[in-house]
Amino acid sequence: MKVSTINHFFGKIGRLQIQWRVPILCVFILLTLFCCLGLTKFEIQNSSEGWYGEGDILKQNKDTYEAIFGNRNNAAVLVVADDVFSQEILEVIDRLGQRMITEIPYANKLTSLIELDIPLGTEEGYNIIKPYENGIPSDKAELQAKRNLILRGTEHTNACKNVLVSDDGTETWICLTLFPFDEPDTFKDPEKMAAVQEFETFLGTLSMTKTSGTKPRVSSVTDILKEMNRALNKGQDEFYTVPEDPYILAQLMELSSIEMTRDFSECMDDEFKVLTISVDMLIFDSASAIQDIKAINEKLAELFPDAQSCILGDMIEYAEMTNRMVWGELKSFLFSFVIIAIMLTIAFSSIRTGLIAMIPNVAPVILVGGFMGFSGYAMDFATMTTMPIILGIAVDDTIHLTTHLKLGLEKYGTYKGAMEASLREIGKSMFMSTLILCSIYAVYLLSPIRYLFVIGILSILGLSGALIADYTITPVLLYLVKPFGKERSN
């Protein structure tokens, strides 16, 4: 089909628009006013709920966890001082903790030095001690005694040391948890608990697990059981272990769930069939997180082959979300590439012309990819967002140039004359439109957010490359291949 024929068809549409200009303008005004009403209903949402559907396994695991243990979110404050066991700092911790529990919505349980429970062995059995239950003492000797009690033993025989409070007494946490496998007594089996401890040791070796001193920040119900077992054996450190005798372990679990119900209920359910292991992460890196998740799943399958297990947490959700976005956008880009090739083939009524038109559109994408490789930019959300933008705009200029060339060939009869006329008519428009787009994206170069900066620099590079490709590669290819047929001598 000749371009002049297509232009004649759109000329008819233009004449109809002029004829019915008043009704068209009225409809446009009404539609604009209606859309303005929708602007008032804008809401800002910054949660991860929109990323996962109801049938997603990650969301199902999260819902199951929260149904048993409550909301897995928490708020925490790190207190740093010369001595967190001084009267002044303890009073600050107490006041701040009370404000957190009363003023933060959905507050559930507060954990701090003031709220600490310590099981201690006695001649008659054991006692659950709250060091500051009767208030914060002013006597220095009494303060020192309570400090010694909380920091007793080593970090390997004290669940609080280098977890809740540092071993030098200069840092401590105030943590606030928030509200929102199917055989009872499963973990009363010593073999199962031995597997749990082996799994905890494995978690401590992962690259992203945070450590305090030499102690990995891994915690679970085993910490409570060790503390209670030692307390029942007159505080002797050699009993800071999980009992291997089935009867003793079962009784210890029952006792711990009663005497330390708040802490125990956060780690294990009432039927002793579901437990959680918490791991503090040092840093977040999507690639490392995915590797660690894979290693964790393999270890879980090895230690608990018949159990249902899942990995939850903000780090897991973010890693999965990043992975889905990157690979999803990569698939979308490849799909859009194929669709654009098909559409160009249809637009020019020629497979050869459509494929030729795609060559200069690939060039800026390769340019951006090469720049990313040499500059160390990874394939992430920002970089993958840029690719379809570059491809779309490059295709737009290619269609304009190729269509004008075909029209010029019908008019002048030669590819040289058609190319000169096409660049003379739309060359400036292509440059100005690209310049305006680059100016818009240049604003991102001033952003303190790295993702926006990357989008800005890659978009400018890609758009400039697309324009250069349309100025150079497209005319050369069309002139050499002559996709619209032979030239006319006259």
Side-chain angles (χ1 to χ4, degrees):
M1 182 183 294
K2 292 185 177 181
V3 176
S4 56
T5 305
I6 299 175
N7 291 344
H8 181 69
F9 170 74
F10 282 101
K12 289 182 178 179
I13 295 178
R15 287 190 292 273
L16 288 174
Q17 289 175 334
I18 296 300
Q19 181 180 353
W20 297 95
R21 58 188 180 277
V22 175
I24 291 174
L25 186 60
C26 291
V27 171
F28 177 77
I29 293 173
L30 292 174
L31 182 62
T32 302
L33 292 175
F34 177 76
C35 292
C36 287
L37 294 176
L39 293 176
T40 62
K41 301 183 180 297
F42 269 163
E43 293 182 359
I44 298 176
Q45 187 175 16
N46 193 29
S47 70
S48 60
E49 297 299 324
W51 295 99
Y52 308 104
E54 291 297 326
D56 196 292
I57 186 64
L58 199 61
K59 187 175 188 306
Q60 291 177 356
N61 291 336
K62 175 183 173 183
D63 292 342
T64 300
Y65 175 92
E66 292 182 352
I68 298 173
F69 297 104
N71 196 322
R72 60 185 177 81
N73 297 321
N74 61 75
V77 176
L78 176 62
V79 179
V80 180
D82 294 335
D83 182 12
V84 296
F85 291 96
S86 66
Q87 180 185 0
E88 180 183 3
I89 299 301
L90 288 172
E91 289 175 349
V92 170
I93 293 173
D94 187 24
R95 290 197 301 270
L96 182 56
Q98 292 304 316
R99 289 193 61 184
M100 291 173 68
I101 199 71
T102 56
E103 297 181 17
I104 295 180
Y106 307 106
N108 179 19
K109 173 183 175 284
L110 186 71
T111 302
S112 70
L113 290 176
I114 305 300
E115 304 294 329
L116 188 62
D117 291 332
I118 300 177
L120 289 178
T122 64
E123 292 295 334
E124 293 79 18
Y126 72 96
N127 284 328
I128 303 297
I129 304 297
K130 271 184 171 292
Y132 302 102
E133 184 175 17
N134 297 320
I136 300 169
S138 57
D139 182 69
K140 291 185 178 181
E142 191 174 351
L143 286 170
Q144 185 63 39
K146 294 184 182 298
R147 175 194 174 112
N148 294 339
L149 172 63
I150 295 173
L151 295 179
R152 72 200 185 285
T154 68
E155 62 181 15
H156 300 292
T157 60
N158 187 335
C160 296
K161 192 178 247 186
N162 281 336
V163 176
L164 180 64
V165 59
S166 62
D167 55 4
D168 59 1
T170 60
E171 297 180 5
T172 185
W173 286 97
I174 307 174
C175 301
L176 180 68
T177 57
L178 310 175
F179 285 116
F181 20 63
D182 224 16
E183 180 182 349
D185 301 335
T186 298
F187 288 103
K188 288 183 177 180
D189 182 355
E191 291 185 2
K192 291 287 194 303
M193 292 308 300
V196 170
Q197 294 181 84
E198 182 181 346
F199 184 59
E200 290 177 357
T201 303
F202 167 76
L203 291 174
T205 65
L206 297 178
S207 59
M208 295 180 63
T209 301
K210 185 176 182 179
T211 59
S212 296
T214 61
K215 183 178 182 180
R217 297 289 292 269
V218 181
S219 59
S220 75
V221 72
T222 59
D223 296 325
I224 300 174
L225 297 176
K226 290 176 182 178
E227 290 280 4
M228 286 295 293
N229 191 40
R230 178 172 57 184
L232 290 170
N233 289 276
K234 301 181 180 179
Q236 300 178 64
D237 285 344
E238 58 265 30
F239 287 96
Y240 189 75
T241 59
V242 176
E244 297 179 0
D245 183 274
Y247 177 77
I248 296 177
L249 177 60
Q251 296 303 311
L252 186 63
M253 280 191 171
E254 294 286 355
L255 183 63
S256 300
S257 67
I258 296 172
E259 296 294 338
M260 300 187 70
T261 181
R262 287 203 316 165
D263 294 331
F264 194 89
S265 62
E266 287 190 352
C267 303
M268 182 172 283
D269 71 326
D270 296 336
E271 297 181 348
F272 310 104
K273 65 180 182 180
V274 181
L275 67 76
T276 66
I277 301 175
S278 300
V279 184
D280 289 350
M281 310 309 295
L282 179 63
I283 56 173
F284 175 78
D285 176 72
S286 180
S288 299
I290 292 173
Q291 292 178 359
D292 283 356
I293 292 170
K294 181 180 178 181
I296 290 172
N297 282 325
E298 290 175 353
K299 193 67 175 179
L300 284 170
E302 174 190 338
L303 295 175
F304 307 99
D306 300 323
Q308 294 180 343
S309 58
C310 60
I311 309 173
L312 295 174
D314 293 335
M315 184 272 290
I316 305 300
E317 287 188 11
Y318 190 76
E320 181 65 21
M321 184 170 60
T322 302
N323 188 54
R324 291 186 184 186
M325 282 192 297
V326 171
W327 289 105
E329 289 188 356
L330 180 60
K331 292 177 182 177
S332 299
F333 171 73
L334 295 176
F335 181 73
S336 64
F337 185 86
V338 174
I339 293 299
I340 289 174
I342 295 173
M343 295 304 296
L344 286 175
T345 299
I346 296 173
F348 297 122
S349 303
S350 169
I351 296 177
R352 185 174 65 165
T353 306
L355 295 179
I356 291 172
M358 284 301 297
I359 294 176
N361 298 317
V362 177
V365 175
I366 296 175
L367 173 66
V368 170
F371 177 79
M372 286 169 53
F374 286 116
S375 302
Y377 290 133
M379 190 172 67
D380 55 21
F381 169 73
T383 54
M384 289 310 303
T385 300
T386 308
M387 296 295 187
I389 297 174
I390 297 171
L391 181 61
I393 295 175
V395 167
D396 181 64
D397 286 342
T398 301
I399 290 176
H400 282 300
L401 184 60
T402 307
T403 303
H404 274 77
L405 175 64
K406 188 175 182 181
L407 180 62
L409 184 63
E410 295 174 6
K411 183 177 181 181
Y412 298 103
T414 65
Y415 280 92
K416 181 179 179 181
M419 189 60 65
E420 290 176 355
S422 299
L423 291 175
R424 185 170 56 248
E425 292 174 8
I426 66 169
K428 179 182 177 181
S429 300
M430 292 167 58
F431 175 80
M432 292 304 299
S433 62
T434 303
L435 179 62
I436 293 172
L437 288 171
C438 288
S439 300
I440 293 172
Y441 282 106
V443 177
Y444 285 169
L445 300 180
L446 305 176
S447 174
I449 301 175
R450 179 184 173 277
Y451 278 154
L452 295 181
F453 175 83
V454 171
I455 289 176
I457 193 170
L458 294 184
S459 297
I460 292 173
L461 180 65
L463 293 172
S464 302
L467 179 64
I468 294 173
D470 282 322
Y471 277 163
T472 56
I473 300 176
T474 303
V476 172
L477 287 174
L478 294 176
Y479 186 80
L480 291 175
V481 179
K482 295 181 173 54
F484 302 122
K486 297 180 179 180
E487 297 179 330
R488 301 195 308 273
S489 58
N490 184 3

